[in-house]
Amino acid sequence: MVELKIDGMPAKVKDGATVLDAARLLAIDIPTLCHLKECEPETSCMLCVVKNTATGQLVPSCSAQATDGMAIDTECEEVQAARRDTLNLLLSEHVGDCEAPCTRICPAHLDIPTMLRQIERGNMEQAGWIAKRDLAIPATLGHVCPAPCEKGCRRGQLDEALKIRQSHREGSVLCFNGFDKKHHFIGLTPNLTPRGKTAVVGSGAAGLSCAWKLLQLGYAVTVFDEAPQAGGVLRGHQDLPMEVLDSEIDWLAQAGIEFRLGESISLQSMADGFGGVVFAEAEFAGTRFADAVYAEEHKLAVKAVANGKAAAIALDRSLKGEQPKNESRFDSKIGKLRDSEVTELAKNCSRDEQAGKPAQAEAARCLHCDCRKPASCKLRQYAEQYGADQREFPADERGHVQLIGHGEAVVFEPGKCIKCGLCVKITKRAGEELGVTFVGRGYNTRVAVPFSESLAAGLKRTAEDVVKVCPTGALAFRDAEENLKLET
Ligand code: SF4
Ligand code: SF4
Ligand code: SF4
Ligand code: FES
């Protein structure tokens, strides 16, 4: 047996064990990208470095053998800086968008490609739920929003931008057939004891969106407004049929939001009756009040919706005693695509363009610019954890955007591959007839199925396993929806 110390804690491991094995015995988490249990170490990513304090050297923990008397530091500043540099280098040649450009531009951050994929498959109800989840009043915004997302739509480079605003307006219609408790979002728990009572003062777009987000976060919500009807300045908007606004407000009421309208608002009753308050009316800006946040209404309704969501999240954090923090996730960005790349991507989405109803045919034009593994990608998680910056080591020329696997269940995006070799190991270990392998030399090395065969031919038995172990979005299921948090 070998005895060593990791972060000051004693560990005892078998001869031949690695530092990583010893750390895991102590439940110490060391990040890895190219490590696979029970396989020879690849030692290619170098993210797992730790410091041997006796020698002062940084060593890759997945391959460094544990030795008697060793003292290891897994999280000192030097280790953190080395891991950040490693991630910055990997990201400098990473060709991938974590988020689609349209979603980035939408102030309320609607998950547009996921919604469009549901429409394309004819799942209009799911599409409506996504729009409702992210926008609170998607049909209303479908009439009044200037649709900045469409200006950033990549499809516009080829022919015409997707009709995103029309899609969420139509997709959300099914949500208005009454609130059905069988169909609710994960996180919306109308039958359970609420986490606390909250009040929202003001019922314009910011107030409605804030109330909806608080409900999704598990709070009981009461919306107050001195006006006799909810809606704020949306009421009377020249482009908005009032029955659309009314039905969305009705729906929110059926979902569980209490509306107290036409009442004068007393700060004392707020303080007495509610755990937290959001002021979504300009006249209350700057009001001093314990556990209260301010949500700015905005002349652009979609910005007001975004402000309302942000205020709900801020109140939630404050009620839980947590510090405010930047909620935005790490987002790898490709930037503008070359025309040839857009044409290439469009080949992948042409399969259903002529089929189905007009809404489906329209949605089928989407290039699906988002990543297919936004939640499980380890590269993204570690980039966030170590504060990596993709612009730290700018590449001379960006790599090509490519998606291999036209019409197949598994797709491969070479630009997102970090050449960890895990997929090659998995297919070899499983005895795949073809499997995948590295081809080419040096900088041009890439993963491919031998003899230019299809991915389906190479991954007959291991498709699920390679998608699971691939630490990035390079290998993924075409139709996987990690962002689709719906319960039906
Ligand atoms: S093609 Fe689709 S995913 Fe890409 S920007 Fe347009 S709507 Fe968004
Ligand atoms: S495609 Fe293979 S080599 Fe590339 S990142 Fe994924 S598992 Fe690693
Ligand atoms: S592979 Fe990971 S880092 Fe790259 S675009 Fe996808 S989620 Fe982002
Ligand atoms: S070098 Fe150790 S996990 Fe990659």
Side-chain angles (χ1 to χ4, degrees):
M1 294 296 272
V2 171
E3 290 186 32
L4 70 161
K5 276 193 173 169
I6 304 187
D7 294 342
M9 286 188 275
K12 221 185 224 184
V13 286
K14 284 188 190 149
D15 289 347
T18 63
V19 172
L20 183 66
D21 294 331
R24 288 189 172 168
L25 266 184
L26 295 172
I28 292 172
D29 192 27
I30 295 177
T32 63
L33 285 172
C34 69
H35 174 74
L36 192 60
K37 223 173 152 194
E38 289 153 16
C39 279
E40 279 298 299
E42 189 79 19
T43 323
S44 69
C45 76
M46 301 307 279
L47 193 66
C48 65
V49 288
V50 292
K51 185 170 179 175
N52 182 339
T53 55
T55 62
Q57 280 181 330
L58 295 182
V59 292
S61 62
C62 69
S63 57
Q65 286 214 347
T67 55
D68 255 331
M70 217 178 201
I72 295 290
D73 194 331
T74 70
E75 280 293 340
C76 63
E77 266 180 37
E78 203 180 331
V79 165
Q80 299 224 17
R83 290 181 189 159
R84 194 161 36 247
D85 279 350
T86 297
L87 290 163
N88 288 343
L89 277 168
L90 285 173
L91 289 165
S92 70
E93 46 185 47
H94 194 72
V95 186
D97 282 305
C98 302
E99 306 269 357
C102 50
T103 299
R104 258 182 224 135
I105 294 173
C106 170
H109 216 69
L110 168 63
D111 185 351
I112 293 162
T114 303
M115 177 188 75
L116 291 174
R117 283 192 282 277
Q118 295 306 314
I119 295 177
E120 184 183 349
R121 291 172 207 155
N123 300 334
M124 294 302 283
E125 197 171 355
Q126 274 93 334
W129 281 113
I130 293 163
K132 185 60 99 181
R133 178 193 67 191
D134 294 348
L135 298 179
I137 45 170
T140 299
L141 290 177
H143 287 275
V144 304
C145 182
C149 53
E150 293 181 12
K151 294 184 185 74
C153 173
R154 286 203 175 124
R155 183 81 203 207
Q157 236 177 292
L158 185 67
D159 39 35
E160 225 187 308
L162 267 287
K163 296 184 180 69
I164 299 166
R165 183 177 62 173
Q166 184 180 326
S167 297
H168 67 69
R169 188 172 68 214
E170 292 174 355
S172 58
V173 165
L174 272 161
C175 287
F176 304 139
N177 294 337
F179 180 77
D180 182 346
K181 289 203 167 106
K182 286 202 304 279
H183 297 93
H184 62 266
F185 295 96
I186 288 173
L188 176 60
T189 51
N191 297 322
L192 302 178
T193 313
R195 285 171 55 193
K197 283 172 78 179
T198 57
V200 176
V201 179
S203 66
L208 294 174
S209 144
C210 179
W212 172 230
K213 187 71 193 175
L214 283 169
L215 195 73
Q216 289 180 74
L217 289 168
Y219 293 94
V221 193
T222 306
V223 173
F224 291 86
D225 204 313
E226 288 181 347
Q229 283 182 296
V233 293
L234 289 170
R235 206 157 276 290
H237 193 293
Q238 57 177 13
D239 298 326
L240 176 64
M242 281 308 110
E243 61 272 20
V244 171
L245 178 62
D246 287 337
S247 64
E248 292 208 289
I249 293 168
D250 273 358
W251 190 93
L252 290 171
Q254 287 180 58
I257 296 170
E258 183 193 10
F259 285 89
R260 284 174 57 180
L261 306 169
E263 289 182 21
S264 60
I265 291 155
S266 128
L267 289 181
Q268 191 53 50
S269 64
M270 296 286 147
D272 294 343
F274 298 94
V277 180
V278 175
F279 292 107
E281 264 187 12
E283 67 175 281
F284 290 99
T287 304
R288 289 189 162 273
F289 203 83
D291 273 324
V293 286
Y294 179 64
E296 192 194 347
E297 279 294 349
H298 196 282
K299 62 176 190 262
L300 277 185
V302 68
K303 286 210 169 154
V305 164
N307 293 344
K309 273 166 85 169
I313 291 166
L315 182 66
D316 178 48
R317 293 193 75 83
S318 152
L319 291 174
K320 288 196 287 201
E322 294 169 4
Q323 291 299 315
K325 73 163 195 179
N326 181 359
E327 301 287 338
S328 54
R329 295 209 55 196
F330 172 83
D331 188 6
S332 166
K333 294 188 179 89
I334 303 177
K336 190 170 168 13
L337 263 53
R338 301 168 188 124
D339 288 349
S340 59
E341 292 171 329
V342 178
T343 309
E344 188 63 29
L345 286 183
K347 286 185 194 157
N348 264 295
C349 67
S350 58
R351 56 192 169 139
D352 290 322
E353 252 182 78
Q354 306 303 326
K357 298 189 178 128
Q360 284 171 268
E362 171 62 12
R365 297 172 57 242
C366 177
L367 302 172
H368 307 295
C369 310
D370 57 333
C371 186
R372 283 163 179 78
K373 282 162 82 176
S376 62
C377 172
K378 285 172 86 178
L379 181 60
R380 187 181 196 194
Q381 286 163 20
Y382 292 140
E384 256 162 36
Q385 188 177 335
Y386 290 95
D389 182 352
Q390 195 171 26
R391 295 156 304 177
E392 186 70 20
F393 303 117
D396 293 340
E397 200 190 346
R398 148 169 95 63
H400 201 66
V401 176
Q402 208 187 355
L403 190 138
I404 295 167
H406 180 59
E408 296 190 49
V410 175
V411 288
F412 174 51
E413 292 182 69
K416 294 178 183 171
C417 174
I418 58 165
K419 301 178 182 113
C420 68
L422 295 186
C423 53
V424 178
K425 276 185 186 164
I426 290 273
T427 57
K428 218 180 250 170
R429 195 167 71 177
E432 279 276 15
E433 204 180 316
L434 286 170
V436 288
T437 186
F438 282 117
V439 297
R441 282 166 182 273
Y443 183 76
N444 293 320
T445 307
R446 63 189 169 84
V447 167
V449 180
F451 314 118
S452 306
E453 286 283 352
S454 67
L455 282 168
L459 305 174
K460 279 186 186 153
R461 279 181 281 148
T462 49
E464 207 168 324
D465 291 341
V466 294
V467 166
K468 215 171 179 181
V469 298
C470 176
T472 72
L475 276 166
F477 285 114
R478 173 190 297 278
D479 291 335
E481 295 295 6
E482 292 192 334
N483 279 340
L484 191 62
K485 291 193 185 131
L486 299 174
E487 242 181 25
T488 53

